Amino acid sequence: EPEVTQTPSHQVTQMGQEVILRCVPISNHLYFYWYRQILGQKVEFLVSFYNNEISEKSEIFDDQFSVERPDGSNFTLKIRSTKLEDSAMYFCASSEETKGHNQPQHFGDGTRLSIL
Amino acid sequence: QKEVEQNSGPLSVPEGAIASLNCTYSDRGSQSFFWYRQYSGKSPELIMSIYSNGDKEDGRFTAQLNKASQYVSLLIRDSQPSDSATYLCAVQVAYNTDKLIFGTGTRLQVFP
């Protein structure tokens, strides 16, 4: 069964450094998402991406965050200057094109980001 | 503030019993509803989607939606120890938004 793949599985970074989290969405999906989950807390929406542009973003997704689809398969999340509070599990998700109802989003295994 | 509420549990049921997981949501205009299962340290795994009032069955799982009461539930029949996980309710509040709003999840424990 097709799946969303994320790399790396664990990233340890010094505060203030830049990190790039990578995702390969399911191949026929057109909508891409990033979510995060701080340990013990809810899964929170960060950003959605469609047709090579951001379609929606949350208040969490401030100027330190950016997303990119650099080629036909990868979808990346960049955090420019990491803070301690960015430590979380980051999930990439993808879905098929919406046809009336919002299509289910399928999640990757996540990247655990630890900021020291 | 759009909210999705779940009892955090744990909900403990014996093997073979029916587990009933509940979720309420605040936005009356919500359109699409999903149940995800999350094992500890793992990612959310889609179990069910439901869009219309009533019941939707898939194997041992039944999702129930009542938009008038702003209530969605998940029933797990013949619960197995492998069903022990946190079950996340997720809501998409309108056709013109993509984001999922998640509840805190209900931890289910199925004991032999």
Side-chain angles (χ1 to χ4, degrees):
Chain A
E1 184 172 330
E3 59 182 25
V4 177
T5 58
Q6 290 187 243
T7 55
S9 57
H10 192 188
Q11 175 80 46
V12 181
T13 301
Q14 292 288 332
M15 186 173 58
Q17 296 298 304
E18 174 183 288
V19 294
I20 298 176
L21 310 183
R22 303 181 190 279
C23 169
V24 179
I26 295 172
S27 61
N28 65 332
H29 286 187
L30 299 178
Y31 288 80
F32 315 124
Y33 313 86
W34 284 101
Y35 291 81
R36 79 173 184 189
Q37 187 175 30
I38 295 170
L39 188 63
Q41 297 188 23
K42 293 182 184 183
V43 176
E44 301 174 287
F45 170 80
L46 293 178
V47 66
S48 59
F49 191 87
Y50 171 71
N51 199 24
N52 281 321
E53 61 182 24
I54 291 174
S55 53
E56 190 171 359
K57 60 183 180 180
S58 71
E59 292 177 353
I60 302 167
F61 195 88
D62 61 21
D63 290 345
Q64 69 166 332
F65 291 92
S66 62
V67 290
E68 190 179 27
R69 187 154 166 82
D71 54 43
S73 59
N74 290 285
F75 178 53
T76 63
L77 174 69
K78 182 191 289 187
I79 309 175
R80 254 179 285 283
S81 178
T82 51
K83 306 170 189 169
L84 294 175
E85 55 265 36
D86 293 328
S87 295
M89 195 76 164
Y90 287 79
F91 295 111
C92 176
S94 68
S95 65
E96 296 178 59
E97 185 162 12
T98 299
K99 295 171 186 169
H101 296 294
N102 296 100
Q103 296 296 316
Q105 296 177 23
H106 298 268
F107 284 70
D109 287 342
T111 293
R112 180 170 300 283
L113 179 62
S114 301
I115 307 299
L116 305 179
Chain B
Q1 180 77 7
K2 299 177 174 61
E3 296 285 345
V4 176
E5 300 288 342
Q6 295 181 258
N7 188 319
S8 60
L11 172 66
S12 293
V13 301
E15 184 174 357
I18 296 175
S20 177
L21 304 160
N22 304 315
C23 171
T24 59
Y25 57 93
S26 63
D27 193 309
R28 187 168 289 277
S30 297
Q31 300 289 334
S32 305
F33 307 87
F34 305 92
W35 283 99
Y36 287 84
R37 177 173 62 198
Q38 187 175 34
Y39 292 110
S40 181
K42 303 296 184 182
S43 64
E45 174 192 4
L46 180 71
I47 297 176
M48 295 282 288
S49 58
I50 187 166
Y51 306 106
S52 305
N53 280 329
D55 295 359
K56 178 181 177 182
E57 187 174 319
D58 184 0
R60 296 188 295 114
F61 300 100
T62 299
Q64 299 175 317
L65 175 61
N66 183 326
K67 288 187 177 181
S69 300
Q70 295 174 233
Y71 177 94
V72 58
S73 65
L74 179 70
L75 300 179
I76 307 174
R77 288 181 298 282
D78 189 23
S79 296
Q80 301 296 310
S82 58
D83 295 327
S84 299
T86 297
Y87 289 79
L88 308 178
C89 175
V91 177
Q92 277 173 313
V93 299
Y95 286 121
N96 62 353
T97 180
D98 302 326
K99 68 181 180 184
L100 289 175
I101 299 175
F102 281 84
T104 53
T106 298
R107 189 157 63 94
L108 173 66
Q109 295 177 333
V110 181
F111 56 92

